Amino acid sequence: MKPETAAKKLGILLSAAPAEFQEGVVSRDELAALQADPPEWLRTLRAEGPHPRGVVAAKLGVSNSGLARGGITEPLTTAEIKALLAAPPAWLVQERATQAAVRAEKARIAERDRERAARAAEQD
């Protein structure tokens, strides 16, 4: 697979990976080996960053769109993420509230659908 795909599956930023990883092709076996027993460079990238957009969003508890609305366009390191969480700016507080509301609505809909399915099963 392409290095971009492998980096995405590993949850790392491709541009921060070593040159040999960026320039090579990663087989499925190599990817499995990297996931099972990550080398030092991979452990460091996962721990310290810089992190790709999806990982930053997950660590901050917001959506990718929320990052964009907050003006975060560049990858962040773990230290930068911790600093944002320690003293959250107004946009982060708002986006986390929005994300919590979305999760609550999804849970409500899932519960409603389970109840409907149970009623339908009772009628049959």
Side-chain angles (χ1 to χ4, degrees), residues 54-84:
V55 173
V56 172
K59 286 178 180 265
L60 290 175
V62 299
S63 66
N64 283 336
S65 298
L67 284 180
R69 286 188 293 270
I72 304 295
T73 58
E74 298 297 317
L76 299 179
T77 63
T78 300
E80 292 168 326
I81 293 168
K82 286 181 179 178
L84 281 172

Side-chain angles (χ1 to χ4, degrees), residues 1-27 31 34-35 41 52:
M1 71 186 69
K2 294 180 181 177
E4 295 89 3
T5 304
K8 192 178 253 188
K9 290 180 182 276
L10 292 170
I12 61 169
L13 190 64
L14 180 61
S15 60
E20 60 270 8
F21 181 84
Q22 292 182 34
E23 296 164 1
V25 175
V26 180
S27 72
L31 179 65
L34 286 170
Q35 289 172 326
W41 67 265

